[in-house]
């Protein structure tokens, strides 16, 4: 069993490059299967290439059944069209989290709680007109509040 776990995580690390995006989608009730997730993302389950993968734009978005939910793993810091594919897993009846980062330090976090949406981006968005990130948090506010408290306590310890 340990050998299987090591092989699985070695495969994941080999798949990932310098960029990565992953999602976690949990249904409010019942189970979200990989086949249903593939349909929600706009593919036909017959198109699945093999265990854990769905074809997309020359790179695969890997899907894993974890308990009653589905986790996706993308070895590319996605362009908006790639994120739109996995965003289809969110919506009414689902809790959906998205996290992405690249080697340059760009990172984003997004959550969709049945229509309640929030996001964090680093560095801050450069869209004009500029919207302060604190106005975009939605269901991510508890994370930001937690991080702010942790940062404040680190600052206090350093002085």
């Amino acid at each position: 069993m340990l050998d299987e776990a090591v092989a699985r995580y070695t495969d994941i690390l080999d798949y990932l490059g310098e960029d990565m995006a992953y999602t976690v989608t949990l249904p409010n009730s019942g189970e979200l299967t990989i086949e249903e997730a593939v349909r929600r993302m706009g593919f036909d389950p017959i198109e699945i290439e093999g265990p854990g993968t769905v074809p997309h734009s020359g790179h695969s978005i890997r899907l894993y059944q974890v308990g009653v939910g589905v986790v996706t793993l993308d070895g590319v810091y996605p362009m908006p069209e790639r994120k739109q594919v996995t965003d289809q897993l969110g919506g009414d009846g689902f809790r959906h989290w998205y996290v992405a980062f690249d080697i340059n330090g760009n990172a984003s976090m997004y959550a969709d709680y049945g229509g309640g949406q929030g996001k964090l981006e680093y560095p801050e968005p450069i869209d004009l007109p500029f919207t302060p990130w604190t106005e975009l948090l939605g269901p991510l506010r508890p994370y930001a509040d937690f991080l702010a408290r942790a940062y404040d306590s680190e600052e206090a310890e350093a002085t």
Side-chain angles (χ1 to χ4, degrees):
M1 178 145 178
L2 179 59
D3 291 342
E4 291 173 10
V6 169
R8 178 176 182 180
Y9 289 109
T10 299
D11 179 52
I12 288 172
L13 289 173
D14 289 344
Y15 170 72
L16 296 175
E18 299 164 342
D19 306 335
M20 184 183 101
Y22 69 91
T23 68
V24 176
T25 307
L26 299 172
N28 290 341
S29 64
E31 179 179 9
L32 174 62
T33 64
I34 289 177
E35 290 77 15
E36 181 59 26
V38 169
R39 277 194 276 289
R40 288 178 63 84
M41 292 185 342
F43 296 102
D44 185 335
I46 292 174
E47 296 175 356
I48 295 176
E49 292 177 340
T53 63
V54 159
H56 185 70
S57 301
H59 290 280
S60 295
I61 296 173
R62 295 183 176 200
L63 288 92
Y64 299 92
Q65 187 75 50
V66 180
V68 298
V70 169
V71 172
T72 69
L73 183 61
D74 191 350
V76 174
Y77 189 86
M79 293 71 68
E81 61 271 10
R82 287 180 80 91
K83 184 176 179 295
Q84 288 172 0
V85 170
T86 55
D87 281 354
Q88 294 177 78
L89 294 172
D92 289 336
F94 295 91
R95 293 166 288 158
H96 178 73
W97 297 268
Y98 165 92
V99 177
F101 63 88
D102 70 16
I103 194 169
N104 297 318
N106 297 306
S108 64
M109 180 184 239
Y110 166 82
D112 180 344
Y113 276 56
Q117 299 177 358
K119 68 179 180 176
L120 288 171
E121 293 182 358
Y122 180 82
E124 290 188 24
I126 58 173
D127 297 338
L128 293 176
F130 182 77
T131 302
W133 66 271
T134 52
E135 294 180 22
L136 301 173
L137 291 175
L140 288 170
R141 181 161 298 285
Y143 296 100
D145 293 344
F146 171 78
L147 292 173
R149 286 191 305 274
Y151 179 76
D152 289 344
S153 67
E154 284 179 8
E155 290 266 314
E157 288 177 13
T159 57

